[in-house]
Amino acid sequence: MSDITHTKSTARFDEFATVDWIDDAAKERRRLQGLWGHLGTRRVSLSWVYLAYDAAVSWIVVLLAGVLIGVNTAMISIVTEWLSDAKQGVCSRGWWLNQKFCCWEEADEACAAWLTWDQALVGGSSGFIRWLAFVATGTAMAATCAFLVRGYAPLAAGSGLGEIKAILGGFVIRGFMGGWTLVMKSVGLALAVGSGLSVGKEGPAVHMGCCIGNVVARNFSKYRRSAARQREVISAAAAAGVAVAFGAPIGGVLFSLEDLSSHFPRKTLWRSFLCALIATVSLQTMNPFRTGKLVMFQATYDRDWHFFETGFFVLLGVFGGVFGGICIRLHLRVAAWRRRYVRPSDAVTEAAILALGTTAITYANVYTRADMGELLAYLLQECPSTTALQQPSGGWGGMCDPANSGRVILGLLAATVIRAIGTIVAYGCRVPCGIFVPSMAIGASFGRMLGTLA
C-alpha cells in the first residue's frame, strides 16, 4: 500500500525531464565545428557572413526580449491602474480613462468628470452603492482571473520564481514558458492585482520576462537546439523582469546572478545587463504612470535624521523579522490546508471568496482601499515643513495634519493587520500572484505609523 501511495504522490512529475548538460555541450561543439568547417569550401565569404550572424544573434535575441518585456510591463501597469480605479468609479469623458488621466488638469477632489458609482448609477450619494460596486467588481475580476488561469494556462498561477530557478538548474517543465502561459499570466496578473487581492506583480514579472525570452529565442535555430543557450536567454530575461518591476537594471542582474541562476558566465552577465537596460528604457519610453518614473513609488528625503529615531528604526527591524517568521509559519499552514481541502476545480470559487472578503473589509479603510502601489507612493511622501496643509485634508488620508494623528495611527495599524492577514491567505491561491509589494506595503504602513508616533 505504501508503494502505491508513493507512486501516486510522485506521478505528477512524470511529465518533467532534466537536461543532459554534457550531451548538450557536445551537440553545441558539433554545431560550431560544422560552421567553421564551411570556411574550407568555395563559399568562404558566405560562411563568414553566417558566422557573424551566429555571433550577433545572441545580442539580437536579448535586445528583442528586452523591448518586449518593457512594453508588456507598461501595458500591464496601465491596465492594472484602470482596473483598480474601476472598482470605485468611471470617467464621464471616456470609460477607458482611469482617475488620474480623467482628472489630469484638476485636483481629484474637485474633478467633476470622475463619477463614483453611486453618482453614475443613481445620480446621488450612497455609501452602500459605492461599497457594493467596489466588492462586486473586485470579486468579478478575481473570479475571471481564476477562470482564465484554470481553463487555459494552469501553469500561470502563482509567482513562478521557484519554477524558474528549477528550470535554470536543468529541470524541464513543458509549457511553463510558452506563449499561451505568457498571455494568461499577463491578463490574469492585471485582473488579480486590480481585484484588490493582497498580491503583487513583481514575482510574476520575472516569470513573464522568462516567457518572453523563451518565445523570442525559440524562433532562432541556435537556441531551439541548445538548452545551454536557452538558459542564457532565460537568465537575461529574468534580470530584465526584476529590472522593470523595481526600476533597477543592476539590481535585476544581481538578482538573476545570486538567486536564480546556477550557471552565470561572464557573457551571460553582459547580455543580462543589456536586456535589463533595454527593458527599463522601453518601460520609461512608454511612461505608463505619466510621471517619467519607472515605478509608481519612490522615497525622497530632504531632512536629516535624529538620534532619538534610532529606537524606532530598531523596532521597525524587529517587526520585520517577527512578521517574516510568523508570515512563513502561517502561510505553510494555509498552504497545507489548501492542498487538503481545496481542489483544483475549486480555484474560481476560492478566488471569488477571497476577493469578496478582502474587498468587503478593505473598503472601510482608506489605507487598504487604495491599490498597494499607489499606497506606497503616498506613504513614502514627506509632509511639507510649512502649513502643509496646503492640501484641504492635510495630505492624502490626513497623514500630514497633526490633529488627525490618532485616527491616522489607528488606520495604519488596522491596514497593517488587514494586509498581513490578506497576504498570508491570498498568496498561493490559483491566480498569478507575488509577495514583494504586499510585504513592502505592510512594512510601509507600520513604518509610517511609527513615524506618526515619533
Side-chain angles (χ1 to χ4, degrees):
M1 180 63 69
S2 61
D3 293 339
I4 296 175
T5 303
H6 180 72
T7 301
K8 289 182 178 180
S9 65
T10 58
R12 60 194 181 94
F13 292 100
D14 291 345
E15 59 182 287
F16 304 143
T18 55
V19 176
D20 187 341
W21 297 113
I22 297 177
D23 181 64
D24 188 78
K27 291 180 179 178
E28 180 65 11
R29 282 197 301 271
R30 288 194 294 269
R31 187 187 72 86
L32 292 175
Q33 288 172 358
L35 288 177
W36 285 97
H38 289 298
L39 293 177
T41 64
R42 296 179 179 179
R43 305 176 65 180
V44 177
S45 58
L46 185 61
S47 298
W48 278 112
V49 171
Y50 192 79
L51 282 172
Y53 167 77
D54 185 74
V57 72
S58 301
W59 299 96
I60 295 173
V61 167
V62 296
L63 177 65
L64 292 175
V67 172
L68 293 177
I69 290 170
V71 172
N72 185 61
T73 303
M75 294 302 297
I76 291 174
S77 298
I78 293 171
V79 174
T80 300
E81 191 172 0
W82 181 83
L83 289 172
S84 297
D85 290 343
K87 298 199 303 293
Q88 302 186 52
V90 64
C91 182
S92 60
R93 295 172 181 169
W95 61 267
W96 57 89
L97 297 175
N98 60 30
Q99 187 174 6
K100 180 186 294 184
F101 286 101
C102 185
C103 307
W104 186 254
E105 297 179 352
E106 49 190 322
D108 292 345
E109 295 82 359
C111 181
W114 180 258
L115 303 177
T116 55
W117 284 116
D118 54 342
Q119 295 172 337
L121 296 176
V122 299
S125 178
S126 173
F128 175 74
I129 292 180
R130 289 196 298 270
W131 174 84
L132 185 62
F134 187 85
V135 173
T137 52
T139 304
M141 290 176 196
T144 303
C145 172
F147 174 78
L148 293 174
V149 170
R150 185 192 67 178
Y152 299 99
L155 292 176
S159 172
L161 285 176
E163 291 86 347
I164 293 297
K165 190 170 184 178
I167 290 172
L168 289 174
F171 199 63
V172 180
I173 307 177
R174 295 182 179 88
F176 187 76
M177 295 187 297
W180 199 238
T181 301
L182 169 63
V183 173
M184 289 298 105
K185 189 88 172 187
S186 302
V187 175
L189 181 61
L191 288 168
V193 176
S195 69
L197 288 172
S198 294
V199 296
K201 57 185 178 181
E202 279 61 29
V206 179
H207 184 192
M208 292 184 296
C210 293
C211 289
I212 292 174
N214 179 65
V215 170
V216 172
R218 69 187 184 189
N219 290 286
F220 298 85
S221 60
K222 177 180 179 179
Y223 290 95
R224 281 198 304 267
R225 301 171 183 173
S226 174
R229 296 290 186 183
Q230 291 177 355
R231 180 169 62 175
E232 294 177 3
V233 175
I234 294 171
S235 296
V242 177
V244 294
F246 295 99
I250 297 178
V253 175
L254 292 177
F255 182 83
S256 180
L257 168 63
E258 297 176 356
D259 290 346
L260 294 179
S261 304
S262 58
H263 181 70
F264 206 86
R266 185 177 300 175
K267 59 181 180 180
T268 304
L269 174 68
W270 287 110
R271 288 168 186 165
S272 298
F273 180 71
L274 174 65
C275 189
L277 187 63
I278 294 298
T280 52
V281 170
S282 301
L283 178 62
Q284 190 167 30
T285 302
M286 293 284 291
N287 194 14
F289 306 115
R290 289 298 182 268
T291 60
K293 307 295 182 182
L294 294 175
V295 292
M296 184 181 292
F297 52 88
Q298 66 175 2
T300 56
Y301 300 97
D302 57 8
R303 306 175 191 176
D304 294 331
W305 66 281
H306 302 283
F307 183 77
F308 78 90
E309 296 175 344
T310 307
F312 291 94
F313 293 144
V314 172
L315 183 59
L316 185 59
V318 171
F319 166 78
V322 172
F323 165 74
I326 294 175
C327 181
I328 292 172
R329 287 179 177 272
L330 293 179
H331 175 68
L332 290 175
R333 294 188 179 184
V334 172
W337 182 88
R338 182 177 279 124
R339 285 195 301 269
R340 184 174 181 180
Y341 295 105
V342 182
R343 298 169 298 179
S345 57
D346 298 330
V348 178
T349 304
E350 179 195 16
I353 292 175
L354 286 173
L356 176 65
T358 301
T359 52
I361 295 172
T362 57
Y363 181 81
N365 190 326
V366 65
Y367 304 114
T368 54
R369 189 189 314 159
D371 172 74
M372 281 183 286
E374 183 183 4
L375 174 66
L376 284 168
Y378 287 125
L379 292 177
L380 294 174
Q381 286 181 354
E382 281 193 288
C383 292
S385 51
T386 57
T387 329
L389 313 180
Q390 296 173 357
Q391 297 189 40
S393 59
W396 183 81
M399 290 188 299
C400 293
D401 188 352
N404 292 331
S405 296
R407 183 177 61 83
V408 170
I409 291 171
L410 291 177
L412 289 172
L413 179 60
T416 302
V417 175
I418 292 171
R419 282 299 182 193
I421 297 174
T423 301
I424 293 169
V425 176
Y427 184 71
C429 66
R430 292 177 176 87
V431 298
C433 55
I435 201 171
F436 286 122
V437 164
S439 299
M440 294 173 65
I442 293 167
S445 299
F446 188 80
R448 185 77 188 209
M449 184 193 71
L450 289 183
T452 306
L453 281 171

